């Protein structure tokens, strides 16, 4: 672990003259000195005498709780790229992994682990076994776990840069119980998933995510199968929640949201609508319909929250555009189908003509699909370009570029989907239960700018520049609201005496997302300091390399705390 800086050496930190933003709804900023000692906020007063503390002149700047990323894909990057530049430089101090129904635990065999590693290589990369045993990864314990508890233990041993909570990935449960195929779960297989869910929750998970109709094998689960799992959460794990990747964000998107809201009402399970977007031409201007559905469900007693990212394009794996039948059986079976000419033709019709579940029911417009980072030498120069542009340069059909990238990169390529609508983004983020979630894939050179810019963009662009919020109000979306959902409030997500010193000091006039589609790895402007558990991770805009995060694990009483508390 990198040495912990001032706090690790026993030196207190005093922010002098900060505009304190507590994170509470409706709270007005006020000027005060804030003393950090032993990893917590020790004093808040108009003037604090602390002669031995490091003094930071915070005049003219806002001091807020650290931002909480409700939808992170950092599961592997926390270990393979431990300084975690993308998140620390934008003020993120806590994140929730295990999203979209797929992660690296639980597994029951090396075959399960290898299948998952290959399937989500586009999200986190997939270091070879040799790389895991040598160099920077030697001694990390990569992929040596098989349970949620084992994965979280590995994070704690290696000290993550941020605090980390984990959802149980429902796709893993289905893979272990039913295999990778499109089949209905038997009663015995459903019970197996229930038993696995209970094991994961006992090991500290804070809820469950699911794969919707985009990622196999979780996408094969019926609503009734999901309901069984949600009832377990509702009945036996107070405070836990279900974060579904909805069955569609395109055709019949409103119906897909309705399904999840009805599931929450029927099972009494809290539902967190993750990356709650309405995309594709079919859904332009339909945010008021979704908001009305959410409000009606809440009025009927459902516990509903949601998160969004403040950008128009989405991001996923290129293979997610395949029809579900083409992905059945796992990555190796998918690649075999892509080698068969007749099967390719079936896939082409499903993707380009009729629309399929992988494309959210809508025929794919190749002009909206931007290829992510590639690995195979033959694909050099493809990354960051739209599929139709690459096809035009090559003199071939766009579907042939699609097949070429999938096969040569073995399904490990990400993509950006330019399918969003500004009016929907603005309307949904103003909802009373809205929170921030980056949904950021960090792997590769060609990233979505949200990987580095999500939280500064909420504050700098949508609050300050567009005036949709007061700065203090949008901070609540990014701090206390998610902390309450995660059951880590008031220990985290709040700037108050006794709370953990997860803090961000930013200039309200200068904070701005700098990352673009051309230069996606530019750190945000205007963020001066980031503290994680009282240790300085960002010092006047410079990464210190300090890793002071801790896993956040659910206890039997429903509270989520640092492991060991």
């Amino acid at each position: 672990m990198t040495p912990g800086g001032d706090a690790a050496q026993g030196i207190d930190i005093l922010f002098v003259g900060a505009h304190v933003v507590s994170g509470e709804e409706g709270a007005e900023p006020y000027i005060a000195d804030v003393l950090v000692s032993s990893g917590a906020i020790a004093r808040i007063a108009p003037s604090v005498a602390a002669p031995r503390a490091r003094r930071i002149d915070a005049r003219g700047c806002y001091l807020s709780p650290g931002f909480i990323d409700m939808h992170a894909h950092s599961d592997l990057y926390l270990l393979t790229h431990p300084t975690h530049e993308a998140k620390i430089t934008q003020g993120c101090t806590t994140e929730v992994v295990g999203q979209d129904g797929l992660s690296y635990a639980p597994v029951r065999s090396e075959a399960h682990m290898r299948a998952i590693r290959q399937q989500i290589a586009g999200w986190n990369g997939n270091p070879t076994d040799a790389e895991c045993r040598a160099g920077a990864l030697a001694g990390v314990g990569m992929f040596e776990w098989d349970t949620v508890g084992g994965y979280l233990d590995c994070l704690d041993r290696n000290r993550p840069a941020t605090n980390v909570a984990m959802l149980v990935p429902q796709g893993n449960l289905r893979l272990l119980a039913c295999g990778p195929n499109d089949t209905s779960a038997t009663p015995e297989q459903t019970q197996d998933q229930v038993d696995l869910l209970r094991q994961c929750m006992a090991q500290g998970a804070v809820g469950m995510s699911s794969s919707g109709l985009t990622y196999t094998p979780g996408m094969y689960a019926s609503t009734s199968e999901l309901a069984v799992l949600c009832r377990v959460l509702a009945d036996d794990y107070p405070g836990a929640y279900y974060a579904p990747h909805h069955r569609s964000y395109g055709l019949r998107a409103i119906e897909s949201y309705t399904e999840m809201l009805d599931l929450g009402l029927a099972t009494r399970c809290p539902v967190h609508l993750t990356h709650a977007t309405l995309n594709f031409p079919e859904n332009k201007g339909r945010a008021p319909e979704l908001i009305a559905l959410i409000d009606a469900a809440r009025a009927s007693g459902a516990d509903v929250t949601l998160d969004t990212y403040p950008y128009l394009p989405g991001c996923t794996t290129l293979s997610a555009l395949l029809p579900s039948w083409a992905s059945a059986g796992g990555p190796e079976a998918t690649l075999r189908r892509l080698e068969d000419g007749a099967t390719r033709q079936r896939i082409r019709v499903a993707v380009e003509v009729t629309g399929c579940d992988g494309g959210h029911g809508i025929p794919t417009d190749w002009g909206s699909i931007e290829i992510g980072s590639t690995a195979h030498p033959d694909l050099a120069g493809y990354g960051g370009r739209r599929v139709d542009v690459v096809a035009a340069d090559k003199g071939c059909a766009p579907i042939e570029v699609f097949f070429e990238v999938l096969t040569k990169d073995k399904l490990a390529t990400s993509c950006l989907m330019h399918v969003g609508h500004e009016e929907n983004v603005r309307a949904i983020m103003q909802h009373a239960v809205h929170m921030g979630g980056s949904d950021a894939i960090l792997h590769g050179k060609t990233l979505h700018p949200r990987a580095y810019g999500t939280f500064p963009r909420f504050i700098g662009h949508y609050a300050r520049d567009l005036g949709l919020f007061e700065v203090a109000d949008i901070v609540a979306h990014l701090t206390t609201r998610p902390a309450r959902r995660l059951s880590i409030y008031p220990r985290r997500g709040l700037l108050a005496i006794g709370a953990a010193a997860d803090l961000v000091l930013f200039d309200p006039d200068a904070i701005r997302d700098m990352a673009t589609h051309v230069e996606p790895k530019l750190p945000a402007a205007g963020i001066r300091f980031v503290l994680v558990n009282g240790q300085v991770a960002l010092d006047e805009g410079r990464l210190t390399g300090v890793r002071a995060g801790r896993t956040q694990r659910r206890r039997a009483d429903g509270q989520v705390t640092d492991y060991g508390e």
Side-chain angles (χ1 to χ4, degrees), residues 155-167:
L155 288 181
D156 275 328
R157 284 195 306 272
N158 290 281
R159 293 305 296 268
T162 58
N163 303 304
V164 184
M166 186 175 185
L167 298 170

Side-chain angles (χ1 to χ4, degrees), residues 170 208-210 212 221-234 241-247 255-273 297 301-304:
Q170 168 263 340
M208 180 181 73
S209 73
S210 72
S222 65
T223 304
S224 59
E225 185 179 323
L226 295 173
V228 172
L229 300 173
C230 285
R231 286 193 182 94
V232 171
L233 289 180
Y241 66 95
Y242 171 47
H245 189 294
H246 311 98
R247 294 188 185 271
E255 291 84 349
S256 295
Y257 280 106
T258 300
E259 176 193 13
M260 295 298 106
L261 293 170
D262 288 348
L263 187 62
L265 280 168
T267 63
R268 306 182 317 283
C269 182
V271 173
H272 181 77
L273 303 175
D303 180 352
V304 182

Side-chain angles (χ1 to χ4, degrees), residues 5 7 21 26 65 77-78 110 124 135 191 195-196 207 230 236 306 310 312-313 318 372 395 444 476:
V21 181
Y77 254 53
L78 285 158
E110 184 176 337
N124 277 274
Q191 183 59 47
D195 294 341
L196 285 164
C230 285
D236 298 337
L306 61 92
L312 301 188
L318 195 64

Side-chain angles (χ1 to χ4, degrees), residues 123-148:
W123 293 357
N124 277 274
N126 186 15
T128 65
D129 292 346
E131 290 170 334
C132 291
R133 293 190 296 267
L137 297 180
V140 169
M142 296 291 296
F143 307 119
E144 293 178 5
W145 61 81
D146 54 14
T147 64
V148 164

Side-chain angles (χ1 to χ4, degrees), residues 129-424:
D129 292 346
E131 290 170 334
C132 291
R133 293 190 296 267
L137 297 180
V140 169
M142 296 291 296
F143 307 119
E144 293 178 5
W145 61 81
D146 54 14
T147 64
V148 164
Y151 166 73
L152 294 174
D153 287 345
C154 185
L155 288 181
D156 275 328
R157 284 195 306 272
N158 290 281
R159 293 305 296 268
T162 58
N163 303 304
V164 184
M166 186 175 185
L167 298 170
V168 181
Q170 168 263 340
N172 287 52
L173 304 185
R174 201 169 207 282
L175 174 65
L176 272 57
C178 307
N181 300 309
D182 185 0
T183 57
S184 298
T186 66
E188 293 77 16
Q189 290 170 335
T190 300
Q191 183 59 47
D192 192 11
Q193 292 182 69
V194 168
D195 294 341
L196 285 164
L197 176 61
R198 292 186 184 280
Q199 292 169 19
C200 295
M201 294 302 297
Q203 293 163 7
V206 299
M208 180 181 73
S209 73
S210 72
S211 308
L213 273 183
T214 301
Y215 304 119
T216 61
M219 65 194 301
Y220 302 135
S222 65
T223 304
S224 59
E225 185 179 323
L226 295 173
V228 172
L229 300 173
C230 285
R231 286 193 182 94
V232 171
L233 289 180
D235 292 346
D236 298 337
Y237 301 98
Y241 66 95
Y242 171 47
H245 189 294
H246 311 98
R247 294 188 185 271
S248 175
Y249 293 87
L251 184 68
R252 299 183 61 81
I254 294 295
E255 291 84 349
S256 295
Y257 280 106
T258 300
E259 176 193 13
M260 295 298 106
L261 293 170
D262 288 348
L263 187 62
L265 280 168
T267 63
R268 306 182 317 283
C269 182
V271 173
H272 181 77
L273 303 175
T274 194
H275 42 48
T277 61
L278 284 168
N279 294 330
F280 300 95
E282 286 79 353
N283 292 309
K284 183 177 175 61
R286 298 189 71 187
E289 296 177 54
L290 174 59
I291 290 168
L293 283 174
I294 293 169
D295 290 343
R298 295 178 68 215
S300 298
D303 180 352
V304 182
T305 52
L306 61 92
D307 69 62
T308 69
Y309 48 84
Y311 294 88
L312 301 188
C315 184
T316 185
T317 56
L318 195 64
S319 62
L321 301 180
L322 291 167
S324 59
W325 60 261
S327 299
E332 294 301 329
T334 303
L335 289 168
R336 286 194 297 272
R337 291 187 185 97
L338 291 172
E339 294 172 356
D340 178 73
T343 305
R344 281 196 182 209
Q345 175 61 14
R346 286 185 62 200
I347 293 172
R348 185 196 70 77
V349 171
V351 171
E352 292 188 333
V353 181
T354 62
C356 63
D357 43 14
H360 301 273
I362 296 169
T364 296
D365 171 13
W366 295 116
S368 70
I369 306 300
E370 179 182 335
I371 301 168
S373 294
T374 59
H376 195 283
D378 291 352
L379 305 177
Y382 285 27
R385 301 170 68 199
R386 310 281 177 116
V387 172
D388 64 339
V389 173
V390 175
D393 285 351
K394 289 173 63 69
C396 67
I399 194 70
E400 294 304 320
V401 174
F402 177 60
F403 289 146
E404 180 188 13
V405 175
L406 290 179
T407 54
K408 289 183 176 177
D409 258 2
K410 298 187 182 301
L411 313 180
T413 308
S414 63
C415 70
L416 271 64
M417 303 174 69
H418 295 269
V419 292
H421 304 289
E422 181 67 23
E423 65 268 43
N424 288 345

Side-chain angles (χ1 to χ4, degrees), residues 417-457:
M417 303 174 69
H418 295 269
V419 292
H421 304 289
E422 181 67 23
E423 65 268 43
N424 288 345
V425 170
R426 294 189 191 187
I428 295 169
M429 73 167 61
Q430 294 181 74
H431 197 275
V433 297
H434 169 264
M435 305 168 194
S438 72
D439 191 19
I441 292 174
L442 307 181
H443 176 64
K445 295 180 181 180
T446 306
L447 303 180
H448 193 302
R450 67 192 183 193
Y452 277 72
T454 290
F455 299 101
R457 186 169 177 82

